[in-house]
Amino acid sequence: MDEKYWEKLKSYAMAWMKEAGQQIKQSFGQVLHIETKSDRTDLVTDIDKEIEVFLRDKVTAAFPNHKIVAEEGMGEQVENLDGIVWFIDPIDGTSNFIHQQRNFAISIGIYDDGVGIIGLIYDVVHDEMYHARRGAGAYMNDTRLLPLEPATLENSMIALNASWLLPKKTISMNAVIRLVRGARATRSFGSAAIELASAAAGRIDAYMSMRLAPWDFAAGAVLIEEVGGVISDIKGNQVDFLKGGTFLVAKPGLHEEIVTALFGD
């Protein structure tokens, strides 16, 4: 595929996300129908589903041969990443959407044979569109994002939420305490997409999660790689874009420090 083709996809997707954002904002005065999925913290609303259907229908009408992987199940069950695959999260940060009506985003990543080509994260309330095409830079609206400078743990702000305080089989509590004590500050935004966009923009130095699905990080991964950030699971291994799992993104230098703090001797 040539650059013109990918730019056309990017332009279409950004326009659809803007239109979807207007629909979300119009829902702010409505009574939401809220359901739980895996547990009481894993929520979905009728608006999540409506936006996912809207985006799915737009993609399938314009690009019927493309695959769609979407959070609320309106896409397909893919077994491989062959061809062009759209990863769609209609509202990343649903709890924020329900409780705050802010700090949520629409997230779309477009991949070709497993390679991230386009990453789009739209912060609806702040009207901030983070967008990147592989090899062409990353932007917030019309402002190009600068390459990320190396960082150290002692001067870093790391995004992680309070669930890291709960006992885990995969990581020791002492390791997490060591990491938090070593950092300058920690923050939690409640939306992986917002946190990844913030990392790409250099507003935070690292973000880590014990569990993300591919639609949570597919778009952000393209943005991060365009500005020179490092992406892996929390042990420093390659991320699984089919199944998801633990996730770590950080500035150069800091990434290795975090992995060492968590799993080093």
Side-chain angles (χ1 to χ4, degrees), residues 7 19 23 38 44 53 65 77 83-84 94 103 113 120 137 151 158 161 171 174 176 183 186 188-189 206 233 241:
E7 279 300 315
E19 189 174 347
Q23 293 182 31
S38 61
V44 62
V53 169
N65 295 325
Q77 293 293 325
I84 298 178
T94 298
N103 299 322
D113 289 335
L120 308 170
I158 300 175
N161 64 41
I171 190 169
N174 287 336
V176 177
T186 61
S188 178
F189 297 89
D233 69 10
F241 282 87

Side-chain angles (χ1 to χ4, degrees), residues 168-184:
K168 293 175 175 58
K169 296 179 180 179
T170 55
I171 190 169
S172 79
M173 184 56 59
N174 287 336
V176 177
I177 293 171
R178 182 167 60 243
L179 176 68
V180 172
R181 282 179 173 167
R184 170 176 285 167

Side-chain angles (χ1 to χ4, degrees), residues 79-232:
E79 297 181 357
N80 59 65
L81 298 180
D82 296 345
I84 298 178
V85 181
W86 293 60
F87 292 93
I88 298 176
D89 194 339
I91 299 180
D92 185 82
T94 298
S95 292
N96 289 349
F97 167 63
I98 293 169
H99 288 273
Q100 303 174 345
Q101 294 188 342
R102 64 192 66 242
N103 299 322
F104 63 88
I106 304 170
S107 180
I108 294 180
I110 306 176
Y111 281 59
D112 185 21
D113 289 335
V115 177
I117 306 296
I118 295 169
L120 308 170
I121 294 174
Y122 182 39
D123 182 337
V124 173
V125 173
H126 297 102
D127 195 27
E128 293 179 344
M129 177 71 76
Y130 298 82
H131 55 101
R133 178 170 61 82
R134 186 178 183 85
Y139 295 79
M140 191 280 284
N141 292 338
D142 296 327
T143 301
R144 185 161 185 158
L145 301 180
L146 299 175
L148 297 178
E149 298 289 338
T152 60
L153 181 60
E154 66 178 353
N155 294 319
S156 68
M157 178 179 286
I158 300 175
L160 74 167
N161 64 41
S163 66
W164 285 82
L165 297 173
L166 302 175
K168 293 175 175 58
K169 296 179 180 179
T170 55
I171 190 169
S172 79
M173 184 56 59
N174 287 336
V176 177
I177 293 171
R178 182 167 60 243
L179 176 68
V180 172
R181 282 179 173 167
R184 170 176 285 167
T186 61
R187 294 291 185 272
S188 178
F189 297 89
S191 163
I194 295 292
E195 285 164 310
L196 286 168
S198 298
R203 292 195 290 267
I204 56 174
D205 302 300
Y207 164 64
M208 48 197 292
S209 173
M210 284 302 295
R211 179 67 187 173
L212 289 183
W215 49 77
D216 292 317
F217 57 73
V222 179
L223 285 161
I224 293 295
E225 289 178 345
E226 278 302 298
V227 293
V230 184
I231 293 170
S232 72

